[in-house]
Amino acid sequence: MTKAKIGIIGGSGLYKMDALKDVREVEVDTPFGAPSDALIVGTLDGISVAFLPRHGRDHTLLPSELPFRANIYAMKQLGVEYLISASAVGSLKEEAKPLDMVVPDQFIDRTKNRVSTFFGDGIVAHVGFADPVCHQLAGVLADAIASLNLADVTLHRTGTYLCMEGPAFSTKAESNLYRSWGATVIGMTNLPEAKLAREAEIAYATLALVTDYDCWHPDHDNVTVDLVIANLQRNASNAQKVIQETVRRLSENPPISDAHSALKNAILTPMNKVSGATKEKFGVLLQKYL
Ligand SMILES: CSC[C@H]1O[C@H](OP(=O)(O)O)[C@H](O)[C@@H]1O
Ligand SMILES: Nc1ncnc2[nH]cnc12
């Protein structure tokens, strides 16, 4: 099977990577169902990467419908060790303006309807999630953004991403509540991904692309899909430059990440008490602990 150490999940407005060469579509099936779309495996400056459009190439999946487990499992199956998520977000802080880039280091979970663990079925594990993003990967991503000196883009090296259920956007009361909690940006997708990536021992970091001020800002229009997509289209080529530079830096100097051993002290169930069927289902996730 084609392998790639670096994975990219593209969100709203980023359905393909123009700079990818030697492109192949890989239909991956997983014990957790089919991913959002075929994975696109190709090379960026000669470096093998796997790309997946989170909502499908034609944006056919709601945030609540996303097959998060299949997406992360498929990346793991391809050998991905570093996963970069590009996502559209609303800003909850004045200083994070549309077109800015934020590299969140924290999440708040306001989802209601998501399966965000691989475990169960006779095997129990509790991974650490105090630091939900891989610090090293986030650093490489932030340094890549800084090195490009992109016009009109301010980099925010840290921030809290609040993950809401959607699909409707927030009410003003909710938006102001999240501001009072100190959240920096709001989106609908990254938290389940980050949890599952941690369980899959994949280092994960988010490139959050600010598209709007949600609905709290008195001097800006309330968020609409048109606004999100218009701003993302303005920024899509920047996002791809950032990803390309991050990939280049990662392949030159792949960082050591705690995420790569996240399950080491997390599994409570003795392996000899786990059924063969469950072990088989977990496949690549448990391989190294059997
Ligand atoms: C199109 S606006 C709302 C939509 O955009 C974000 O998607 P993604 O995180 O995949 O870039 C947000 O989470 C919502 O799913
Ligand atoms: N304001 C917002 N709320 C939730 N998700 C978003 N994605 C982009 N802008 C958003």
Side-chain angles (χ1 to χ4, degrees):
M1 185 189 270
T2 320
K3 291 278 175 188
K5 269 195 180 178
I6 303 173
I8 301 148
I9 299 188
S12 298
L14 190 62
Y15 306 108
K16 62 182 174 63
M17 294 275 304
D18 297 325
L20 266 189
K21 301 231 168 67
D22 318 310
V23 170
R24 271 204 286 156
E25 283 198 19
V26 185
E27 297 276 354
V28 183
D29 193 23
T30 86
F32 299 92
S36 300
D37 207 323
L39 278 86
I40 308 297
V41 180
T43 56
L44 272 182
D45 301 321
I47 305 152
S48 207
V49 302
F51 176 83
L52 176 66
R54 176 183 290 118
H55 301 276
R57 71 188 69 184
D58 299 316
H59 208 130
T60 46
L61 295 165
L62 286 169
S64 314
E65 291 175 325
L66 294 177
F68 288 106
R69 295 195 296 182
N71 290 352
I72 299 295
Y73 193 98
M75 289 284 177
K76 184 80 182 174
Q77 246 176 345
L78 290 184
V80 167
E81 294 174 14
Y82 302 95
L83 184 55
I84 305 161
S85 152
S87 267
V89 294
S91 169
L92 297 170
K93 286 196 193 282
E94 182 81 51
E95 61 269 26
K97 55 185 200 316
L99 305 189
D100 281 1
M101 297 186 183
V102 182
V103 182
D105 59 337
Q106 281 298 329
F107 287 102
I108 295 175
D109 192 358
R110 283 273 300 166
T111 64
K112 299 180 173 75
N113 200 15
R114 313 277 174 98
V115 183
S116 33
T117 180
F118 291 107
F119 289 93
D121 257 349
I123 178 163
V124 174
H126 303 277
V127 290
F129 206 53
D131 295 303
V133 163
C134 169
H135 180 67
Q136 289 75 15
L137 178 58
V140 176
L141 177 58
D143 289 346
I145 300 170
S147 75
L148 292 169
N149 285 317
L150 300 164
D152 300 325
V153 175
T154 301
L155 162 65
H156 305 266
R157 283 182 171 267
T158 57
T160 297
Y161 175 121
L162 185 135
C163 193
M164 60 176 288
E165 183 64 40
F169 291 115
S170 305
T171 65
K172 285 186 177 144
E174 288 165 336
S175 198
N176 281 310
L177 178 68
Y178 305 152
R179 274 167 55 70
S180 79
W181 290 351
T184 314
V185 292
I186 183 163
M188 305 179 190
T189 58
N190 274 219
L191 185 111
E193 249 166 38
K195 278 193 179 157
L196 291 160
R198 181 60 53 85
E199 288 187 352
E201 299 190 320
I202 298 175
Y204 182 91
T206 296
L207 168 60
L209 303 151
V210 178
T211 51
D212 54 84
Y213 273 113
D214 200 33
C215 61
W216 61 271
H217 201 301
D219 305 332
H220 288 269
D221 290 341
N222 294 340
V223 57
T224 60
V225 164
D226 285 354
L227 186 61
V228 170
I229 297 302
N231 276 339
L232 253 190
Q233 275 167 357
R234 284 174 67 193
N235 221 9
S237 74
N238 278 348
Q240 294 186 59
K241 282 184 203 149
V242 167
I243 291 168
Q244 208 164 342
E245 178 62 16
T246 307
V247 166
R248 196 186 63 71
R249 286 168 180 247
L250 278 176
S251 90
E252 261 178 20
N253 218 343
I256 294 179
S257 170
D258 287 347
H260 293 151
S261 53
L263 285 182
K264 200 167 147 213
N265 297 311
I267 302 171
L268 283 169
T269 316
M271 273 310 157
N272 60 2
K273 302 289 175 196
V274 178
S275 74
T278 297
K279 282 183 188 155
E280 194 178 331
K281 178 176 168 201
F282 274 70
V284 284
L285 300 175
L286 279 187
Q287 225 161 40
K288 104 190 194 206
Y289 297 100
L290 293 178

